[in-house]
Amino acid sequence: MTLTGEREAQAPTTIPGATPARPEVRPPHRLARAGLLRDLDRPGDVFAALGPNWFSSIMGTGIVGGAAASLPIGFPGLRVFATVVWGLAAVLLLALTTAWAVHWVRHTDTARGYASNPVMAQSWGAVAMGVMTVGAGSVLLGGPVLGTTAAVTISWVLWSAGTAIGLVTAVWIPYRMITQHEVGADSAFGGWLMPVVPPMVSAADGALLLPHMAVGTGRTTLILACYAMVGISLFATLAILPQVWNKLVVHGTGPAAAVPTMWIVLGPLGQSVTAVNLLGTQAAGTLPEPYATGAQVLGLLYGVPTWGFAMIWLALAAAVTIRTARRGLPFSLTWWSFTFPVGTVVTGTSALAARTHLPSFAWAALGLYALLLATWAVVATRTAHGSLVRGHLFA
């Protein structure tokens, strides 16, 4: 029997005049009756399509705490607020890592398939950066809560894990793009930076751990490794950024949902300013002269021009975003691109304020942090409603 014959034989017989069978309506599950996950057929669907892009919520939340700790201008309650937000990011990391493990066990083929998707594959970088963002908060804010030894130990563990993952994604995802992904002339977007930015985060966070190492070979090796990781991300960014610019100018912004990814460009810019200045500060007593002094000079002479370009890109991205929002900007997890990249500009500006002692950089850092705080509040609220209340973000 042919395939067509089989389909005909299996087709249901319709009796003339008979009342069509009504589709079965599944009653709402218990959580839906309580007002949670209302758009999902069952709570277990939360794990069905849990991609690596969810780790961007940890990045965006953790940087709110970390950036507050670096601000050159403080006010009452700021450190307590920063610690609470860092604690929230840590809870999110534990919860999401557990949920992602369930996803990999129950939906292994889907989880493996993310690397083959030209868009979702880029989000693998968020895993490394989410882990390290919480680790940086631990060494900056965790001491009074956990004790200095425990806070530093946790930071070392998360930094090591995030660095390993980040170095893998910096090679693995571009390799997949070269050998397997179908990439068109208009395919470039800000998300291409996600896999190559983690080593820059490793460099900045590694600088925070250098004071907790004894002076010697190990400390010198780490600072030079951090500078090497600055190079990995910086030169990869310089290769990708012209392609993103060309795509925007020649082909336009594309779908409205992709517009927030323009803000990702701020990530390597702000984080590189942060990294070279933090490393320059730690170079004294770690590197011999004249390299220690040269590292501090690099922080200023590289940091200020790069900060200037970041401000231009920030204005450009904001203008395009406002224009798109007037026409309709649907909410999605790409909105988290409004948070972490801006947070790196805050930490970079704070680092320049510490380097130059200029009030202009100090107030700029405070203003940028206010922008970060406002965007995080909006995105976090929309994400909580779309995930915990509605549940459609998990679909």
Side-chain angles (χ1 to χ4, degrees):
M1 183 179 294
T2 64
L3 179 60
T4 304
E6 289 179 349
R7 289 177 176 174
E8 292 174 350
Q10 295 173 2
T13 302
T14 302
I15 301 175
T19 302
R22 295 181 178 180
E24 181 182 355
V25 178
R26 180 176 296 178
H29 52 80
R30 292 182 179 179
L31 290 179
R33 292 195 292 271
L36 300 176
L37 305 177
R38 298 196 306 254
D39 291 350
L40 298 182
D41 290 335
R42 55 184 180 177
D45 291 343
V46 165
F47 306 104
L50 203 64
N53 55 334
W54 275 94
F55 281 83
S56 61
S57 63
I58 300 172
M59 296 167 54
T61 301
I63 197 68
V64 171
S70 71
L71 284 176
I73 300 176
F75 45 87
L78 178 62
R79 190 168 185 86
V80 174
F81 169 76
T83 304
V84 170
V85 175
W86 164 71
L88 175 60
V91 172
L92 286 174
L93 178 61
L94 290 173
L96 186 54
T97 301
T98 302
W100 212 37
V102 174
H103 170 69
W104 270 86
V105 172
R106 294 185 180 180
H107 308 278
T108 306
D109 291 339
T110 301
R112 289 177 176 175
Y114 293 136
S116 299
N117 185 299
V119 176
M120 184 63 78
Q122 313 304 325
S123 295
W124 268 99
V127 178
M129 289 186 283
V131 170
M132 287 188 288
T133 301
V134 175
S138 181
V139 72
L140 287 171
L141 300 163
V145 179
L146 305 172
T148 302
T149 301
V152 172
T153 300
I154 291 172
S155 186
W156 271 114
V157 171
L158 295 180
W159 179 85
S160 300
T163 297
I165 297 171
L167 290 174
V168 169
T169 63
V171 177
W172 175 44
I173 300 304
Y175 172 79
R176 296 291 294 248
M177 294 173 66
I178 294 170
T179 61
Q180 298 183 23
H181 293 172
E182 294 184 7
V183 179
D186 61 345
S187 296
F189 73 115
W192 279 13
L193 293 165
M194 290 288 287
V196 300
V197 174
M200 190 72 79
V201 178
S202 294
D205 293 357
L208 299 175
L209 292 168
L210 283 169
H212 301 279
M213 297 183 67
V215 176
T217 302
R219 184 166 170 173
T220 303
T221 300
L222 178 58
I223 195 171
L224 293 179
C226 288
Y227 274 114
M229 288 188 287
V230 168
I232 291 172
S233 285
L234 178 60
F235 291 108
T237 298
L238 293 178
I240 294 170
L241 185 53
Q243 300 179 66
V244 175
W245 185 283
N246 178 74
K247 190 267 181 184
L248 292 170
V249 173
V250 177
H251 301 283
T253 58
V259 168
T261 63
M262 283 186 63
W263 293 73
I264 296 176
V265 174
L266 294 173
L269 298 176
Q271 197 73 314
S272 65
V273 175
T274 304
V276 295
N277 277 281
L278 292 179
L279 290 171
T281 299
Q282 297 303 322
T286 302
L287 297 178
E289 293 294 349
Y291 306 112
T293 299
Q296 298 179 51
V297 172
L298 177 65
L300 179 66
L301 297 186
Y302 169 84
V304 174
T306 304
W307 184 87
F309 180 71
M311 292 301 100
I312 290 295
W313 192 273
L314 175 62
L316 180 63
V320 173
T321 302
I322 292 171
R323 176 178 178 269
T324 305
R326 289 174 177 173
R327 301 177 178 182
L329 182 59
F331 178 77
S332 68
L333 290 179
T334 59
W335 280 36
W336 283 101
S337 302
F338 297 138
T339 57
F340 184 83
V342 175
T344 68
V345 178
V346 174
T347 58
T349 307
S350 296
L352 288 176
R355 177 72 56 202
T356 63
H357 305 289
L358 292 176
S360 55
F361 278 121
W363 286 106
L366 190 61
L368 288 166
Y369 186 74
L371 173 63
L372 169 64
L373 198 59
T375 55
W376 173 74
V378 172
V379 177
T381 300
R382 295 289 297 272
T383 301
H385 184 266
S387 56
L388 297 178
V389 179
R390 294 284 301 280
H392 66 271
L393 289 180
F394 291 116

